[in-house]
Each structure stands twice: as C-alpha cells, then as structure tokens.
Amino acid sequence: MDLFTGVGVALVTLLDDAGGVDTPATSSLAADLVSRGMQAVLACGTTGEPATLTDAERVEVIKGVRAAVPPGVPVLAGTGATSVDRAAELTAAAVAAGADAILAWPPPGSDDLPGYYGELAQMAGDRPLLAYHIPWISSPGVPVSSLAGLPVAGLKDSSGSPDRLLDEVAHYSGRTYVGSSALLALAGPLGGTGAILAVANVEPELSCAAFAGDAAAQRQLADVHLAVREGGVPALKRILAERRG
C-alpha cells in the first residue's frame, strides 16, 4: 500500500471502565474518523500512549484498527524506541499485526540514524517507513540535512517549527507530514504531503479544511490545539469524552 496525501489521525487508545484497553471502542473511533475525512490512521503513536501498553495490547490495537477501517486506508504503527533492538522488535510485530506503514522516532542521542533506520527498514519489508522528528521525546531528533541519506519514504515532523517546515518542503524530496495542528494552513499551501494529528480525534473536518488552506478553520482549531498542547493526551481524552460521551 502506498502512503497517503492529506490528513490522518494520530489515534488515541481508549480504555474501558476497568482501565484496560478497549480495542472495539478504539477501532470504532478510527472507523468514524475515516468516515469523516481521515486519509490514514496512526495506531500506537505517541498520542496512543504506547508506553502504557503491553506488546500484546499493541498488537491487538493495530489488528483491531486495521480490521475496522476500509482496505484502501493505510494504518500506520508507531514503533519508536530507546534502542534499535526494541524498535526492530516492535516493527516486526506491527508488520505481523497488519500495519501498512511504520513510523519511528530514533533513540535519544542516536549518532547512527542510517544504521537505525536501515535496521527498521529490513523489519518493515515492503511497508513504507517514516522517520519521526519529535525532539522532546527523542532529542535531538532527525535533522533535515540527514533525511536524504536515510532509507525512509518521508517523515512526520511534530516540532511545530515553521522554519523547519519550510526547510523540509523546500529541500527534502520525500513525503513531509506535519504533526502540529498550529501549522496546517501553512503546511498544505506550501506543498506538504499531509498531516498526522492528535486534534483530528475531535476535529477531523476542521483539520482537513485548515490543511487545504482555510485560515478560518485554522483559527477555529486554536482552542483545541492549545488545550492539547498544554494538557497532552489526558486533555485530548477529556475533550473527546465531552463531545462523544
């Protein structure tokens, strides 16, 4: 399966009343968001809080989401880890679970990005691999100048930096997905490939409109964007609960 153009959702992982992973509810949310315009679903990315999941739960979520959304909609799996061995293990498990593409941040302080992503590319096989620049989790992240030398199909950039975004779309020929919902109305018109967003769990239509260049939609996203930026995934889940019950 090829990668996508447009807006995808960085899916939350929903829990049941006992605190366990609610795979049916998570999968149902994914299907609903696709019906509302999402072009892809990222399962077990940072918004999915994968560090709180067991390996079996990760596999269950990926399988459930893949079964719930239409075959033509790619399901990405987050497999970033603090070591190459762990990331490779997670990548192999995600592929076996049915993931169509892999998204991985590098180990913090990594000085061998080609080696790291080369190992993950082997585990991914024919699935596209995306680098993930998220410097507050994996410092210093993935420099734009390194991207052309990596065995990746593109990257997700969650830095929120408009300078870096401009550098990416001007100087990198791979696919660029923005991860900050503050930059959508800039990223789309600049020629970014798409976006993979946490706020799309609650505002899929506005996210699509903003990426298409609608400045009013970008402004309407401000309150949700700022709430999630300040409060993280717990704030996002509170908003989702308020809106969906």
Side-chain angles (χ1 to χ4, degrees), residues 93-180:
V95 169
D100 302 296
I102 299 298
L103 173 71
W105 43 263
S110 176
D111 58 2
D112 183 18
L113 293 178
Y116 174 75
Y117 283 108
E119 180 71 20
L120 298 197
Q122 288 188 12
M123 294 297 104
D126 60 353
R127 270 72 163 184
L129 172 64
L130 294 176
Y132 189 6
H133 179 68
I134 183 166
W136 61 89
I137 288 178
S138 172
S139 178
V142 184
V144 177
S145 59
S146 299
L147 286 167
L150 301 180
V152 299
L155 85 154
K156 177 185 178 183
D157 174 11
S158 289
S159 69
S161 168
D163 292 330
R164 181 180 163 104
L165 174 62
L166 181 60
D167 191 5
E168 289 161 351
V169 297
H171 301 126
Y172 176 54
S173 61
R175 293 172 177 263
T176 296
Y177 297 96
V178 67
S180 171

Side-chain angles (χ1 to χ4, degrees), residues 78-104:
T79 65
T82 55
S83 73
V84 63
D85 290 343
R86 178 60 173 155
E89 180 181 47
L90 292 173
T91 299
V95 169
D100 302 296
I102 299 298
L103 173 71

